[in-house]
Amino acid sequence: MTTSRTVAADTIRGALPPRPRILVIGAGVLGTVYATKLALAGHDVSVAELSRQRREELTEHGLVIEALAGGRRESVRVPVLEKIEPDAEFDVAVAIVRKTHIDSILESLAPTRIRTLLFMVSNADGPQVFIDMVGARAVGGFPGAGGAKHGPVVRYSIPPAFMQRTMLSEVDGVPTNRVRSLARIFKSAGFVPLVISDLDSWLKSHEGFVAATANATYVARGDGKALGRDASLLRLNVQAIREVYATMDALGIPVAPKWFRVWQRLPIPVIVAAFRRFVGSPAWELGTDQMNGMRDEVEVITEELLRLADTANIPTPALDELVRRRESMKFTTKENAR
C-alpha cells in the first residue's frame, strides 16, 4: 500500500521544470560563481544575501566574475533578496554557505514551499540535520569550483573533472529525475556535475583532507609556500589525513574517491615529497586563499571529525597537535594585539 507520505516524496523527487526559478542563497565566492554562470546560461536566477554590505555591492556592480585562466570577466544583474520569505516562489534553492550559517538557513527554508533544497555545504556530520528540518526536499551537493574575492570581483576557476566536480546526490543516494535535472542545469552553465550514491562518504573524505591541510596552513601562518618548505609540518599534515581515513575504515565508511587511498598506502616520505611540491606551487595559491578565508568553518569541520574519531575510538595525535598549535598561535596573536 502506498502512503501519502511516499507519494509526496516521489512527487518532490520528480524532474524539475524545463526553466526552473532558481534561488542561490549566499553571494560569497562560490555563490557568486554559481549564480553568475547560471544566469548567463539563461536561467531565471535570484540571490539571497544576508550581508548588507554585500547586497549594496551587488546593487552597484552586479555579480562579477573573472576566470583565472585567460582573465575573461563577466557580469550580470539579478534580483537580490535580503531574506527568504515563507511564500517565496522558487522551484530550486541552492544554498552555498558556510557550515556555520546552515542552522539559520534551514530555519528560513523550512516554512517555504520550495520543493528542492540543494545544500552545497562542507559537512562531516552527515545529512540527518537536513532530513530532520526539510525532509524529502533536501538534496546534497558540493561545489566544483574555487575562487577568491577581490573587491566586487570574484576570481574563479573550475578544476579539471579528475580533481573535483559539482557533486550531487539525493540524501539517501537513490538516483532520481530531480537530481538528474540538477545535473543538466549545472552542465548547461559550464560546470562538470557528477551524480553519486554516497555523498556522505565523499564529504567525509574531502573534509579530512581539507581540515588537516587547512590547520597545517594556519600553523604555517597562512602561507602555503611556507608549509611546503616545512617537512615536519607536512608530515604531521599527512598523518592527520591518515587518522581521519583510519576513522572511516573503523566505522565502515568508504574513502572516496578510491584514489584518496594513496594517502594511506604510499610511504609517508613519498607523500610528503610529492605534497610539498604541490602546496608550494602557484597552482595551490587559490587553495591557500580559500582555506585562509574559511577559518571558522574549518574549526567546525575539525570538531566534527574529532567527534567521529571518538565514536570509532581512533586516536588522532597528529590532528590534535595541529589543532593545539593552531589554537596556541591564535592565543599568542590575541595577546600581542592587546
Side-chain angles (χ1 to χ4, degrees):
M1 181 175 179
T2 302
T3 66
S4 58
R5 183 175 180 180
T6 303
V7 171
D10 289 345
T11 301
I12 287 171
R13 291 174 170 218
L16 297 170
R19 192 171 182 269
R21 296 160 297 178
I22 302 171
L23 175 65
V24 176
I25 304 170
V29 170
L30 295 177
T32 296
V33 173
Y34 274 80
T36 304
K37 293 186 75 65
L38 286 167
L40 291 173
H43 295 287
D44 182 356
V45 176
S46 298
V47 168
E49 172 56 45
L50 180 63
S51 166
R52 178 179 177 181
Q53 180 180 352
R54 182 59 176 145
R55 289 197 308 273
E56 291 175 350
E57 198 171 54
L58 293 174
T59 300
E60 181 177 354
H61 300 280
L63 295 164
V64 187
I65 60 174
E66 181 181 288
L68 284 174
R72 183 185 180 190
R73 182 171 292 192
E74 299 174 289
S75 63
V76 66
R77 292 187 178 274
V78 302
V80 179
L81 311 180
E82 179 180 351
K83 60 182 179 179
I84 305 167
E85 300 290 352
D87 60 352
E89 295 186 357
F90 296 96
D91 300 296
V92 184
V94 183
I96 310 180
V97 298
R98 300 277 178 84
K99 184 66 182 289
T100 49
H101 297 157
I102 199 60
D103 288 343
S104 62
I105 297 299
L106 281 166
E107 289 176 3
S108 297
L109 287 171
T112 70
R113 295 185 178 182
I114 305 172
R115 80 174 228 200
T116 295
L117 307 175
L118 171 58
F119 297 98
M120 302 178 81
V121 179
S122 296
N123 179 28
D125 260 352
Q128 195 60 47
V129 63
F130 305 116
I131 297 169
D132 289 345
M133 288 293 291
V134 299
R137 293 189 291 161
V139 179
F142 197 82
K149 191 169 175 292
H150 300 269
V153 180
V154 170
R155 302 182 67 215
Y156 78 98
S157 68
I158 297 176
F162 74 89
M163 289 184 64
Q164 188 171 321
R165 302 188 184 191
T166 294
M167 311 301 284
L168 298 166
S169 178
E170 294 285 358
V171 292
D172 60 5
V174 176
T176 63
N177 288 330
R178 171 172 67 172
V179 79
R180 294 187 189 100
S181 295
L182 288 168
R184 286 193 295 270
I185 289 167
F186 287 120
K187 185 176 182 180
S188 74
F191 298 101
V192 188
L194 179 64
V195 176
I196 60 175
S197 60
D198 189 359
L199 181 66
D200 184 47
S201 294
W202 187 93
L203 282 171
K204 284 179 168 62
S205 305
H206 178 268
E207 305 307 350
F209 169 82
V210 169
T213 306
N215 278 290
T217 300
Y218 304 153
V219 173
R221 301 188 182 279
D223 186 340
K225 292 181 179 179
L227 173 60
R229 292 190 296 267
D230 191 333
S232 63
L233 183 56
L234 277 175
R235 185 180 184 89
L236 206 60
N237 187 162
V238 173
Q239 290 171 327
I241 294 171
R242 287 188 171 205
E243 290 167 359
V244 175
Y245 294 167
T247 294
M248 294 175 64
D249 287 341
L251 294 173
I253 301 169
V255 174
K258 290 181 179 179
W259 68 265
F260 267 33
R261 286 288 187 187
V262 301
W263 293 99
Q264 294 173 294
R265 292 174 178 169
L266 291 180
I268 287 180
V270 173
I271 299 176
V272 169
F275 197 34
R276 72 187 307 171
R277 289 194 295 270
F278 177 60
V279 299
S281 70
W284 184 240
E285 288 179 5
L286 183 60
T288 299
D289 287 345
Q290 285 184 278
M291 288 180 175
N292 283 329
M294 55 185 284
R295 291 187 180 228
D296 56 342
E297 186 172 45
V298 166
E299 291 183 18
V300 171
I301 295 166
T302 302
E303 288 302 316
E304 291 175 352
L305 293 170
L306 289 171
R307 287 197 300 270
L308 199 68
D310 285 344
T311 300
N313 198 27
I314 296 294
T316 56
L319 187 54
D320 291 342
E321 175 64 10
L322 287 175
V323 171
R324 186 195 67 77
R325 291 173 65 179
R326 181 202 74 203
E327 290 293 331
S328 176
M329 291 181 66
K330 182 191 297 185
F331 179 78
T332 301
T333 302
K334 286 181 179 178
E335 286 295 307
N336 291 340
R338 289 177 184 172

